[in-house]
Structure formats: structure tokens, C-alpha cells
């Protein structure tokens, strides 16, 4: 299958031209096809969420396990009422504060949503994305777009159209290129299908930001343990994920000791003839003496780290490194989501110094 990459940024185009392109993408979705598109978090791979055959195509294109449910993207509150059985008051408050934006909420589903979209579950995950292209495509595609991140299953989520093409070129008919995303890490998922709301996936919106709006909030205990018998509640959180091709090892501890350890490990890897990559920060990159050193951003603004996280893993893939050593980050605020993704990408390999 030929994959067309369509530019939807406003350089040298007027809004009418962009609108035409998005309408064409919407027609592909309405006919049951797949379109990758930018959101403010990561690129998504969209299909008509109410069409079981279309949802099946998403699983096929990504190589995704069929028990891993999809997020349904909407562009209005009326759409939410059509697919969610019961929307608690607290969820409405969150929607008012954070939608459109990087928040996904889970509700009991109505009949209208096929089990193919929810991975066989009686609940549905819903998000109103904050990116204008994502909202426009949702409308043009019929109002309900099922969209996981637009990567092959297990690979780092895409934050540019080029990343999407690396994984899905030849497997889908269209990629809308809206340039690099603003956030770089997926939405925060809050489950409202049971009595007490629960965070199932940390994301750009922090626990504190959500608790400030709704008060009571729990975090899935399955996220915080490595005990394989305690499974995370979001099926997608149980798989090794976001993984680069090379092995990834995190080093955690006091700053200077971490740098010493990484230097030592990278030197040894070099001596063994293995190509090593190092993930440092703007503050520390100058202190590494071995291997290929890259900065993931500045500790003074951790949003920069979130934005570059998946891209840096893909860059090391292109450089064919055998092993990547990375600094660790504090788990306060957005750091919680950053460390969640890094730990998963590393298959939980972490060295404490
Ligand atoms: O920011 C995002 O959320 C991006 C953009 C494209 O919107 N989407 C995204 O989708 O990250 P995906 O499929 O990569 O991750 C969805 C996560 C998975 O871990 C899945 O298991 C969980 O949401 N999920 C979806 N529906 C669920 C449900 N009904 N119950 C529990 N977990 C659910
Ligand atoms: Mg994903």
C-alpha cells in the first residue's frame, strides 16, 4: 500500500487548503480506512471507532495485541454522552478544566461502541484532544476516532510524522504531518468506571493537578510494583513498551556518582566492542567522555525532557547503538510520567549508585 504524507502546517498554505486535506482524510476514516494524525501528546493512528472492521485494521497495522483497548477521540461533550453510560460529576469537572487536552477518562460503555474498539471490555476510554488538526479530523471522520499512538506495537511513540513513517510506511494510506508535537508524552488516564477515580497511566497532567480538581484520587497499585502478580489495570501498561532496539539501562543516585558510573559503563562497553549511547542533560552532557552522548533536555524545565524522550530513543536506533545508559529523573510532577516511560523502555533495568 502506498502511504501519502500530507502537510497540514500553515507554511505556504491557507486555511482553506488545509481544510480540504483534512476533509479528504475524514473520508478515508468514514470508509473504514486508517489515517495517522498529530495530537498535542503524540501522533495517533485513527480509525472510525464505531466500525468494528476499522478498529481491527488498527490492530493489524500496529501488530497490537487484540486485548489492548483503544482510546476514542471526540470533539464535543455531546459525543461523550453518546458513548458513555454514566458520567460522574467529578469527571465533568475534569473535562471542564482539562478538555480539550491531554486527559483520557474511562467510563462504562454504551452499546454503540463495539467490543473490537475496547479490546473486549465493557468500558471505554475517551479523550478530547487539544490539537486543532486532531479535533478537525475527528469531526470530519464522523465524530468518534479510535486512536492509539501511531507506532508499531512495543516501539517508542511517535512525536513527528517521520517517526510514524519509520514504523507504518506501506501499512496505512495517509499520514497528516503537523510538525513536531508540543508535549511528547501520552495523556494521563483516569478510570471513572468504579467508585473511586484511579490513575491508570501517569501522563502530562500530574496527580496533583487532577487531585486539585476532584479531591479523592487513587493511583493503580499495579504501576508502582514490579511484582508480576500485581497487574496494571490498563492492559497496555503490562507490555514492554516504548522500547528502543538497543538495550537501555538507567542509572540513579546522586548526580556526580551517576556520571562516574555511566562513564565507567560506557568505557567498558567500548572496550568490549559494543557501541554505547548516553542520555545526559544540557547540564551534564559535557562531562561524559565515552560513547555517543546526547542531551534529552534541561532539568530546569522538565517539559523539554518529555518532548524529546521518544525522539532520542529513535535517534539511538538509527545510530545502531548496542546499549544506552541514561540518567534518571525525580518522580515529582511530570517526572513521574517520564520515569514511568523510561523504566518501561528499559524493561525495569536500573542501577542504583
Ligand atoms: O495521548 C494519548 O493518549 C495518545 C494520543 C494518540 O491520543 N494515545 C495513546 O493510545 O496513548 P495508546 O493506545 O497508545 O494507549 C492507550 C492506553 C493503553 O495502555 C490501553 O490499555 C489503555 O489506554 N486503555 C484504553 N482503554 C481502556 C479501558 N477501557 N480500560 C483500561 N485501560 C484502557
Ligand atoms: Mg501507545
Amino acid at each position: 500500500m502506498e502511504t501519502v504524507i500530507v502537510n497540514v502546517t500553515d507554511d505556504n498554505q491557507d486555511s482553506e487548503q488545509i481544510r480540504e486535506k483534512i476533509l479528504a482524510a475524514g473520508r478515508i476514516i468514514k470508509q473504514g480506512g486508517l489515517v495517522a494524525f498529530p495530537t498535542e501528546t503524540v501522533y495517533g493512528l485513527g480509525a472510525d471507532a464505531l466500525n468494528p472492521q476499522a478498529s481491527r485494521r488498527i490492530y493489524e497495522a500496529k501488530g497490537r495485541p487484540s486485548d489492548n483497548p483503544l482510546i476514542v477521540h471526540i470533539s464535543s461533550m455531546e459525543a461523550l454522552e453518546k458513548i458513555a453510560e454514566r458520567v460522574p460529576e467529578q469527571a465533568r469537572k475534569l473535562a471542564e478544566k482539562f478538555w480539550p487536552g491531554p486527559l483520557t477518562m474511562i467510563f462504562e460503555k454504551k452499546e454503540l461502541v463495539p467490543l473490537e474498539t475496547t479490546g473486549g471490555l465493557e468500558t471505554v476510554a475517551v479523550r478530547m484532544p487539544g490539537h486543532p488538526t486532531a479535533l478537525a479530523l475527528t469531526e470530519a471522520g464522523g465524530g468518534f476516532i479510535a486512536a492509539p499512538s501511531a507506532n508499531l506495537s512495543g516501539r517508542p511513540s511517535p512525536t513527528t510524522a517521520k517517526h510514524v513513517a519509520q514504523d507504518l510506511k506501506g501499512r496505512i494510506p495517509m499520514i497528516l504531518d503537523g510538525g513536531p508535537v508540543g508535549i511528547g508524552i501520552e495523556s494521563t488516564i483516569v478510570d471513572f468506571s468504579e467508585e473511586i477515580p484511579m490513575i491508570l497511566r501517569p501522563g502530562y497532567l500530574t496527580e496533583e493537578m487532577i487531585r486539585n480538581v476532584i479531591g479523592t484520587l487513587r493511583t493503580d497499585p499495579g504501576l508502582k510494583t514490579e511484582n508480576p502478580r500485581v497487574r496494571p489495570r490498563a492492559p497496555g501498561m503490562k507490555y514492554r513498551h516504548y522500547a528502543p532496539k538497543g538495550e537501555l539501562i538507567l542509572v540513579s543516585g546522586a548526580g556526580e556518582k551517576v556520571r562516574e558510573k555511566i562513564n565507567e559503563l560506557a568505557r567498558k562497553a567500548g572496550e568490549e566492542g559494543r557501541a554505547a549511547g548516553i542520555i545526559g542533560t544540557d547540564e551534564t552532557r559535557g562531562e561524559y567522555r565515552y560513547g555517543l552522548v546526547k542531551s534529552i533536555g534541561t532539568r530546569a524545565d522538565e517539559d523539554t525532557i518529555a518532548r524529546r524522550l521518544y525522539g532520542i530513543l529513535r535517534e539511538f536506533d538509527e545510530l545502531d547503538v548496542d546499549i544506552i545508559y541514561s540518567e534518571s529523573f525525580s518522580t515529582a510532577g511530570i517526572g513521574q510520567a517520564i520515569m514511568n516511560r523510561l523504566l518501561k523502555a528499559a524493561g525495569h533495568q536500573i542501577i542504583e549508585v
Side-chain angles (χ1 to χ4, degrees):
M1 178 186 297
E2 201 207 335
T3 304
V4 205
I5 301 177
V6 176
N7 175 11
V8 290
T9 60
D10 45 18
D11 31 305
N12 304 319
Q13 296 184 81
D14 59 38
S15 54
E16 194 46 43
Q17 280 173 301
I18 296 174
R19 202 169 152 65
E20 284 303 322
K21 291 174 169 180
I22 291 174
L23 286 175
R27 284 194 289 276
I28 295 181
I29 301 249
K30 281 184 170 163
Q31 287 159 12
L34 305 183
V35 175
F37 63 98
T39 83
E40 75 279 30
T41 57
V42 300
Y43 272 72
L45 176 60
D48 180 354
L50 307 185
N51 175 344
Q53 181 57 37
S55 283
R56 266 188 235 122
R57 289 207 173 99
I58 291 184
Y59 289 92
E60 243 170 61
K62 281 186 56 113
R64 181 178 176 106
S66 63
D67 69 342
N68 190 4
L70 307 172
I71 295 173
V72 179
H73 295 67
I74 56 171
S75 58
S76 72
M77 284 305 279
E78 292 76 64
L80 175 63
E81 311 295 342
K82 288 187 185 151
I83 55 176
E85 193 59 58
R86 196 176 52 84
V87 180
E89 197 44 45
Q90 303 295 64
R92 285 185 201 282
K93 281 193 196 159
L94 280 187
E96 198 161 306
K97 175 93 180 167
F98 296 119
W99 273 1
L103 168 72
T104 295
M105 293 190 279
I106 294 176
F107 306 100
E108 264 168 64
K109 78 171 188 72
K110 282 192 172 159
E111 268 304 302
L112 189 63
V113 187
L115 290 167
E116 281 79 357
T117 298
T118 64
L121 298 178
E122 289 300 330
T123 52
V124 61
V126 190
R127 171 161 118 82
M128 193 188 293
H131 194 292
T133 304
L135 284 172
L137 179 68
T138 302
E139 265 166 43
F144 303 91
I145 308 284
S149 48
N151 49 280
L152 283 177
S153 192
R155 300 263 301 135
S157 301
T159 52
T160 65
K162 187 181 131 197
H163 297 160
V164 178
Q166 284 170 351
D167 282 15
L168 298 177
K169 197 159 186 255
R171 303 170 80 99
I172 60 174
M174 186 180 282
I175 301 171
L176 296 180
D177 182 354
V181 301
I183 291 179
I185 213 158
E186 298 88 342
S187 61
T188 306
I189 303 181
V190 186
D191 185 359
F192 278 97
S193 69
E194 286 175 38
E195 205 55 41
I196 299 173
M198 187 185 278
I199 294 192
L200 302 192
R201 177 176 72 181
Y204 184 71
L205 298 179
T206 64
E207 223 173 288
E208 197 191 356
M209 289 158 86
I210 294 169
R211 189 171 283 120
N212 281 344
V213 179
I214 62 170
T216 319
L217 177 70
R218 295 198 296 161
T219 293
D220 179 2
L223 290 177
K224 298 202 163 155
T225 170
E226 281 163 52
N227 179 349
R229 295 222 300 266
V230 185
R231 288 209 150 183
R233 296 190 178 214
M237 299 305 281
K238 70 176 185 258
Y239 299 107
R240 174 144 192 248
H241 204 176
Y242 317 117
K245 291 173 190 154
E247 193 182 358
L248 173 65
I249 293 175
L250 309 187
V251 181
S252 159
E256 201 170 328
K257 281 194 168 165
V258 167
R259 295 192 287 279
E260 269 171 28
K261 186 72 185 175
I262 290 181
N263 267 325
E264 176 199 323
L265 290 166
R267 179 177 52 79
K268 275 193 196 146
E271 284 166 7
E272 290 161 8
R274 302 210 290 163
I278 293 177
I279 298 182
T281 57
D282 291 356
E283 289 80 11
T284 60
R285 65 176 308 161
E287 296 181 39
Y288 293 109
R289 292 183 297 281
Y290 307 92
L292 285 158
V293 184
K294 285 177 182 285
S295 169
I296 192 171
T298 171
R299 285 182 190 270
D301 175 6
E302 289 193 324
D303 283 5
T304 61
I305 296 174
R307 205 173 296 141
R308 222 172 117 52
L309 174 63
Y310 292 131
I312 208 171
L313 297 177
R314 282 180 183 263
E315 284 172 26
F316 278 124
D317 278 352
E318 284 181 24
L319 292 165
D320 269 331
V321 301
D322 301 303
I323 188 152
I324 307 165
Y325 299 106
S326 175
E327 294 180 16
S328 298
F329 300 90
S330 109
T331 54
I334 178 72
Q336 193 190 358
I338 293 170
M339 279 306 283
N340 169 271
R341 306 304 193 274
L342 273 175
L343 278 165
K344 282 174 73 67
H348 285 270
Q349 295 193 82
I350 183 162
I351 298 173
E352 309 275 352
V353 292

